Amino acid sequence: MKNLTIRNLSKTYFDPYAGTNVTAVHDVSLNVEQGEFVCIVGPSGCGKTTILNMIAGFLPHTGGDILVGGRPVNGPGPDRGVVFQSFALFPWKTVLENVAFGPKMRGVGKAEREKIAHEYLALAKLTEAAGRYPAELSGGMQQRVGVVRALANEPDVLLMDEPFASVDAQTRMTLQEELTRIWQEKRPTVIFITHDVAEAVFLANRVVALSKGRVLEEIDVDLPRPRSWDALNDDPQFKELTGRVLQLVRSA
Amino acid sequence: MKPVILNIWSFLVRLTARFPSIGSIAPFIPIVAAWWIVTELQIFPRVFLPGPGDVVRSFGLLVYTGVLPEYLQDSMVRLAVGAFWGIALGIPLGILVGLSQRAHTALWPLLLFFQAIGDIAWLPILVIWFGYGLVTMTVVIVYTVIFPVVLNTVLGVRSIPITMERAARSLGCSRTRMLWEVVLPGALPNIVTGLRNGLGYGWRALIATEIIVGTSGIGFLMFDARRAGSVVEILLGMIILGILWYIVDSWILAPIERATGQRWGLVTR
């Protein structure tokens, strides 16, 4: 695991319908230390997913630098694991094969990579589902697979793009609690994109509020861990923090 | 009265669940029965419409003399050879056109153009070039099989969500391995659909070709029977065509579909 540095990142693209250049991301700088959990929060269209796609290497950036462990990003790579909003599991592979996919691409032998996959599946309490196909699982379980598939490849940075936005509210809370537990156990470096302020504060060490492609403010979250919704729902510090972030995001 | 019907019904349900082949035979019973009744009532002269019994007798005779097994084998081998080449050429071509925008731009109009010149429209010129024989038949079948396979493969490749490719790339999958790990399995349900259409068309094209240029085969059997005025053999040929396709579909194609697209949830049942 290494640190991630973003310097003066910007993204401008030509909008053929409007006939003008549009700036989606404007001069964003961010430093994420190894083992940190950073949430980028902002309303739809604020550029947060664009930032994540540029870090992942899915989109080219038009200005600034993205460095992972000092090396500039050039296209997608296994050093940056991605968890997608739409899960993006391979439907033709079993849960086990999905999780073992990253190690397989690294050239890890079958027995060894299945051992790794089983280990990570156990971490997300998915041992029972190993032999099933993604279509046979609920949305919540599919995204658990999505998270451990990315983790099993041991990336330097884990990029999560609104991963829990398409599951129901109860499942989402469980998944959030599980994610904090897994994070504490494995300590990956995480950048987590969300529009949900409470989710951002619940998960993060640091929340980055974003609006119209610019960073408004970075807010440290030093709530005690392990975190659970039962404990935090009525916590005054949690309320104070979510209130502050919400105000920031809404006022901009 | 009602319990009796219910009992019969539940008996039938249990029977077809236990022996699925009965379920696939059952729909034909009323048709054969109607056919039998019509011939028994002598509505049409026997020479024009022989009954089921006559066809079965003719079947027995042609099997006994060895004509039918030989012709059947000829037709199946031609279909298999044609299908093999159609698939071997069609899938790679479809993947190329599906993946590369440049290949798509260059080849798509050609594909549509040549698709429109249907299989047997090629026969006149093929007979001049290759004569009456296996080459002509193979070309026609390959030509017929290849288009549905190519077009459906292109569709399959293009309908793979971009997130699949992104997920694979960020898990360390190289572009070459992507072909085997993502593109091929992702397009497979569509490829199977293309295969099913292609083989169906290919089967028909084969029979048409055998009728026109053949010297053996089921199509030839039927056309030869017409020359001899043997309606019985024509009917037999038609029935064999239907049964053979049913077998190919339910023993080869349907199991592939069940094991792939349906299992993966990519196709709804």
Side-chain angles (χ1 to χ4, degrees), chain A residues 18-244:
Chain A
T20 52
N21 282 319
V22 178
T23 303
V25 176
H26 197 97
D27 203 21
V28 167
S29 293
L30 181 69
N31 197 41
V32 182
E33 291 303 322
Q34 182 172 324
E36 237 193 324
F37 198 130
V38 172
C39 281
I40 300 178
V41 66
S44 306
C46 73
K48 56 191 190 299
T49 295
T50 308
I51 291 177
L52 188 111
N53 281 337
M54 288 191 288
I55 301 173
F58 301 150
L59 292 177
H61 51 279
T62 49
D65 301 297
I66 305 170
L67 304 165
V68 177
R71 282 213 348 258
V73 159
N74 181 21
D79 54 334
R80 285 146 292 136
V82 183
V83 180
F84 297 84
Q85 184 179 347
S86 57
F87 316 148
L89 302 176
F90 306 121
W92 47 85
K93 289 180 185 294
T94 62
V95 166
L96 187 73
E97 290 165 344
N98 263 283
V99 178
F101 186 80
K104 184 182 181 185
M105 292 301 112
R106 278 206 312 269
V108 177
K110 193 173 163 74
E112 177 63 17
R113 66 178 184 251
E114 287 190 352
K115 200 181 128 231
I116 296 171
H118 274 298
E119 197 180 295
Y120 276 91
L121 285 174
L123 186 69
K125 296 170 181 142
L126 282 165
T127 304
E128 308 287 300
R132 293 161 75 182
Y133 284 95
E136 299 165 350
L137 306 179
S138 68
M141 282 174 88
Q142 289 190 38
Q143 194 56 300
R144 279 191 186 92
V145 178
V147 172
V148 292
R149 179 178 69 174
L151 277 175
N153 206 25
E154 292 175 359
D156 295 332
V157 188
L158 184 63
L159 306 170
M160 306 183 78
D161 183 15
E162 305 203 39
F164 306 145
S166 51
V167 297
D168 65 84
Q170 282 80 26
T171 308
R172 187 179 311 141
M173 291 169 93
T174 315
L175 288 173
Q176 288 159 351
E177 289 176 343
E178 275 184 25
L179 181 61
T180 59
R181 177 176 60 78
I182 290 172
W183 177 79
Q184 268 189 290
E185 203 165 311
K186 294 280 176 186
R187 278 317 200 88
T189 311
V190 181
I191 297 182
F192 189 107
I193 303 288
T194 181
H195 61 261
D196 182 343
V197 169
E199 178 175 65
V201 174
F202 179 86
L203 293 170
N205 299 117
R206 185 149 53 102
V207 172
V208 178
L210 200 73
S211 181
K212 298 185 182 112
R214 292 167 202 268
V215 173
L216 298 172
E217 199 176 325
E218 295 185 24
I219 296 155
D220 287 320
V221 181
D222 48 5
L223 295 166
R225 290 180 190 267
R227 293 177 188 171
S228 76
W229 281 109
D230 288 339
L232 285 182
N233 254 335
D234 300 314
D235 186 279
Q237 198 193 349
F238 179 74
K239 279 187 183 166
E240 197 262 331
L241 281 166
T242 44
R244 239 177 86 198

Side-chain angles (χ1 to χ4, degrees), chain A residues 5-25:
Chain A
T5 310
I6 296 172
R7 276 197 306 248
N8 311 104
L9 182 69
S10 65
K11 174 75 181 174
T12 311
Y13 63 92
F14 181 73
D15 182 346
Y17 298 104
T20 52
N21 282 319
V22 178
T23 303
V25 176

Side-chain angles (χ1 to χ4, degrees), chain B residues 105-121:
Chain B
T105 313
L107 296 176
W108 192 254
L110 295 177
L111 282 171
L112 290 185
F113 176 83
F114 283 106
Q115 185 202 18
I117 309 169
D119 37 52
I120 49 174

Side-chain angles (χ1 to χ4, degrees), chain B residues 64-88:
Chain B
Y64 179 72
T65 55
V67 172
L68 191 60
E70 195 194 313
Y71 280 8
L72 205 56
Q73 195 190 339
D74 286 351
S75 289
M76 294 306 278
V77 167
R78 284 166 198 159
L79 182 70
V81 170
F84 173 81
W85 286 110
I87 293 163

